[in-house]
Amino acid sequence: MIIQTATTETIEENGWATAKTLAEALPFIQIYDREIVVVKYGGHAMGQEETARIFASDIVLLKLLGIHPIVVHGGGPQISAMLGRAGVKSTFIDGLRVTDEATMEIAEMVLSGAVNKEIASWITRAGQEADVRGVGLSGKDASLITVEKATRLKKDPDSMIEQVVDLGFVGEPKRVDDKLLRTLIGDLEHDYVPVIAPIGVAEDGATYNINADTVAGAVAGKMNAKRMLLLTDIAGVLDGEKRLIRQMTVSEAKDLIETGVAVGGMIPKLETAIAAIDAGVEAVVILDGRRPHAMLVELFTEHGAGTLITRD
């Protein structure tokens, strides 16, 4: 049996390559120093353990580099799986789940329970040596997210008359109370990373499910985030020829919606990006969260990843 070992030269070359990469990242690290970056983590990648480990490690790295990451997560596939086991069928309208009482109960159990605590735990484990800790929250904690019932208009294909669509217990963020978030990220003694489940409470105390992209946008706007990263299952925003759009303005994003190029779940993502930028977020990036280290490529290299959306 022949055992191959790395030569001293190879080891040194790898070391120099790593040092070069770190040096090239310095200008970008300085851009985001002490800035807030809101990360929406969702899609099927959430159910893959190795991808979750890498995501958590990258979040810890952001924190240790002086950035304040705030994670907002979805859980659509996990909710669908639990609903399937419970024999509850779901319907969607323009990418949004219609949520009745039975669905709401399961959605809160999955989002605020299993998914939220698992992500927070992964971050804590990844940051154990430096004592970086994930803190699991939902919009119901400390009145973090107050919601109002969401309504949608949909044109009847025959009459072309707009009709109000009842989405059930689906809410829209009405108010984000940032006190708890600013307390956590401003703690000088500890490195906390807030992890938020997209569940909110109305003025009457009723619990509502919220689109996770919408929550991320509302939180990013309230926190005046430098960047909002929407990690999803696709490379980014595609044009009419299914080619990746590397960069666009808010006006161009609106045009994609109005012309029908953007469809399904991409519509609320673009609407969220537009609203977040209007609220003060510098830029939003829609990128493929299944690719290892996608956040690092976007933030710390000149190449970027996904689609960057900026104000006009």
Side-chain angles (χ1 to χ4, degrees):
M1 181 175 64
I2 299 175
I3 300 177
Q4 295 182 337
T5 59
T7 64
T8 302
E9 291 78 8
T10 301
I11 295 173
E12 289 183 352
E13 286 174 5
N14 291 339
W16 285 109
T18 300
K20 183 174 182 292
T21 300
L22 291 172
E24 291 174 346
L26 178 59
F28 301 98
I29 293 173
Q30 294 187 81
I31 289 173
Y32 295 103
D33 182 42
R34 282 168 283 193
E35 297 284 357
I36 294 171
V37 173
V38 173
V39 181
K40 187 268 178 169
Y41 181 45
H44 292 81
M46 289 177 58
Q48 300 171 5
E49 183 172 317
E50 185 57 29
T51 305
R53 286 177 183 271
I54 293 172
F55 171 80
S57 295
D58 287 351
I59 289 292
V60 170
L61 180 58
L62 296 186
K63 189 67 177 178
L64 294 178
L65 286 173
I67 298 171
H68 299 303
I70 297 174
V71 177
V72 177
H73 66 82
Q78 290 86 346
I79 294 174
S80 296
M82 183 62 75
L83 289 172
R85 288 197 290 271
V88 180
K89 294 184 178 180
S90 294
T91 57
F92 292 84
I93 299 176
D94 291 336
L96 298 176
R97 187 190 302 272
V98 178
T99 306
D100 58 16
E101 280 192 52
T103 302
M104 184 64 247
E105 183 177 349
I106 292 174
E108 182 173 18
M109 177 180 68
V110 172
L111 293 172
S112 297
V115 174
N116 182 263
K117 304 315 173 190
E118 182 178 68
I119 296 171
S121 178
W122 279 119
I123 292 171
T124 301
R125 291 167 65 182
Q128 185 173 1
E129 292 299 320
D131 200 23
V132 176
R133 305 185 189 188
V135 181
L137 305 167
S138 85
K140 295 173 74 172
D141 294 312
S143 298
L144 178 58
I145 303 173
T146 302
V147 305
E148 56 188 5
K149 183 179 174 63
T151 57
R152 285 291 184 276
L153 296 176
K154 191 175 182 66
K155 282 186 178 180
D156 181 274
D158 298 321
S159 66
M160 297 305 291
I161 298 175
E162 287 191 329
Q163 300 175 336
V164 176
V165 177
D166 187 358
L167 296 171
F169 290 93
V170 175
E172 295 279 0
K174 178 181 179 182
R175 183 173 61 254
V176 175
D177 189 326
D178 61 347
K179 296 186 187 69
L180 177 57
L181 296 179
R182 293 194 183 278
T183 298
L184 288 171
I185 67 175
D187 191 312
L188 300 179
E189 298 296 324
H190 305 92
D191 288 321
Y192 292 125
V193 177
V195 180
I196 304 171
I199 297 292
V201 62
E203 299 284 1
D204 63 1
T207 299
Y208 283 80
N209 188 16
I210 320 170
N211 179 274
D213 294 339
T214 306
V215 173
V219 170
K222 182 66 174 182
M223 298 297 289
N224 301 117
K226 179 80 170 177
R227 282 286 187 278
M228 180 170 75
L229 307 181
L230 297 179
L231 304 186
T232 184
D233 289 342
I234 58 175
V237 183
L238 306 180
D239 64 14
E241 303 298 322
K242 305 302 180 184
R243 296 170 301 192
L244 177 66
I245 302 172
R246 289 288 181 181
Q247 187 168 346
M248 70 171 68
T249 63
V250 164
S251 294
E252 291 168 336
K254 290 179 179 178
D255 186 62
L256 287 182
I257 297 173
E258 292 169 0
T259 58
V261 174
V263 295
M266 184 53 70
I267 294 174
K269 284 180 172 54
L270 289 174
E271 291 175 340
T272 291
I274 293 166
I277 292 170
D278 287 344
V281 177
E282 185 178 280
V284 177
V285 184
I286 299 174
L287 65 163
D288 191 347
R290 298 168 301 178
R291 298 195 66 180
H293 311 303
M295 291 187 294
L296 305 186
V297 172
E298 169 56 37
L299 296 175
F300 302 132
T301 74
E302 62 181 352
H303 311 292
T307 301
L308 176 72
I309 305 170
T310 61
R311 67 184 73 254
D312 294 335

